């Protein structure tokens, strides 16, 4: 039935797809920090059945598409850490690296700077500073983390890692999270809940 309907109405899916992807491009044009750092990224929270199109629109619009699926990177959240024995970030990262091998990056969602320090020491390639209420507080935390693991602080090894900022990021407040110590700002607001651009398809005659 669906195939038959599509055969009779081929222009409708084309308009839908273009309306959806164009809406993302419109939002990106206004949301991008327009700085060399950090990069603006989407999230994995895409429209069911439309992920590939939305990820493509993000890339075309100049944003980072982020993870394409769960296998793209191991992301450790609080539930994953609590499920480990012992329930520590260090143990969770070690378990994830043992399971994923050398080719899969590990990211840890951190609620505070202390958790981020543990994640970096454990070998996480990406630390997510999640749901910070204050942009100024987050920028300071990011600065301290980068300086702590720069190789210039006695007792700390130099470590290369990315800082991702996420949680509560919108078009209105994204500028407050932008600084030289943040590598990625990710938000689903650039592809979830955006208004469709109105398209129509006419036959030239």
């Amino acid at each position: 039935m669906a195939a038959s309907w599509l055969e009779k109405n081929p222009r409708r899916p084309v308009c839908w797809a273009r309306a959806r992807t164009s809406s993302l491009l419109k939002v990106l044009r206004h949301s991008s920090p327009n700085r060399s750092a950090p990069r603006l990224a989407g999230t994995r929270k895409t429209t069911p059945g439309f992920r590939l199109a939305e990820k493509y629109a993000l890339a075309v619009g100049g944003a980072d598409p982020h993870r394409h699926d769960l296998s793209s990177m191991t992301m450790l959240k609080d539930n994953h850490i609590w499920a480990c024995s012992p329930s520590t970030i260090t143990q969770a990262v070690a378990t994830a690296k043992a399971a994923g091998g050398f080719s899969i990056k590990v990211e840890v969602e951190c609620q505070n700077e202390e958790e981020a320090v543990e994640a970096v020491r454990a070998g996480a390639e990406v630390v997510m500073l999640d749901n910070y209420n204050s942009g100024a507080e987050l920028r300071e935390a990011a600065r301290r983390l980068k300086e702590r693991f720069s190789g210039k602080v006695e007792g700390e090894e130099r470590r290369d890692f990315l800082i991702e900022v996420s949680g509560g990021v919108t078009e209105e407040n994204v500028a407050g999270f932008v600084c030289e110590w943040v590598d990625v700002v990710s938000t689903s607001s650039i592809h979830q809940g955006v208004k469709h651009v109105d398209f129509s398809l006419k036959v030239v005659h």
Side-chain angles (χ1 to χ4, degrees):
M1 170 110 29
S4 176
W5 184 88
L6 287 173
E7 289 174 1
K8 296 177 182 178
N9 301 273
R11 69 184 181 89
R12 186 58 57 191
V14 172
C15 285
W16 287 340
R18 188 165 186 181
R20 180 61 182 162
T21 52
S22 295
S23 67
L24 270 63
L25 296 176
K26 183 178 180 181
V27 170
L28 284 170
R29 188 169 66 243
H30 296 289
S31 299
S32 176
N34 196 28
R35 316 261 181 106
S36 58
R39 72 187 76 173
L40 180 66
T43 70
R44 200 175 52 82
K45 301 171 185 175
T46 51
T47 305
F50 218 63
R51 176 174 297 168
L52 184 60
E54 292 183 356
K55 292 292 188 181
Y56 177 73
L58 288 173
V60 170
D64 191 297
H66 211 287
R67 295 187 297 165
H68 288 272
D69 52 42
L70 288 173
S71 67
S72 298
M73 178 171 62
T74 300
M75 182 178 288
L76 299 175
K77 296 177 176 286
D78 49 11
N79 284 331
H80 303 121
I81 296 166
W82 294 335
C84 284
S85 181
S87 299
T88 65
I89 290 174
T90 301
Q91 181 60 49
V93 171
T95 301
K97 285 185 169 293
F102 73 92
S103 62
I104 303 296
K105 287 184 178 180
V106 173
E107 177 170 13
V108 180
E109 186 179 274
C110 303
Q111 302 303 317
N112 53 56
E113 191 174 341
E114 182 181 355
E115 290 184 354
V117 169
E118 183 180 357
V120 175
R121 285 174 176 167
E125 286 86 3
V126 187
V127 293
M128 177 190 289
L129 300 181
D130 191 41
N131 288 313
Y132 269 68
N133 295 322
S134 164
E137 181 183 352
L138 184 141
R139 293 194 301 271
E140 275 301 297
R143 178 188 64 78
R144 288 192 295 266
L145 284 169
K146 288 290 188 175
E147 290 180 352
R148 182 169 194 155
F149 296 102
S150 64
K152 299 177 182 179
V153 176
E154 187 176 353
E156 290 285 7
E157 296 180 19
R158 173 181 172 81
R159 296 183 184 272
D160 294 320
F161 62 98
L162 299 179
I163 292 179
E164 176 182 349
V165 173
S166 191
V169 180
T170 66
E171 181 180 346
E172 290 73 27
N173 67 12
V174 64
F177 299 107
V178 174
C179 68
E180 62 184 289
W181 301 285
V182 171
D183 301 290
V184 181
V185 175
S186 62
T187 174
S188 60
S189 68
I190 57 177
H191 54 82
Q192 270 195 330
V194 296
K195 293 183 178 180
H196 286 56
V197 175
D198 187 17
F199 272 105
S200 62
L201 188 61
K202 302 295 184 182
V203 175
V204 177
H205 60 92

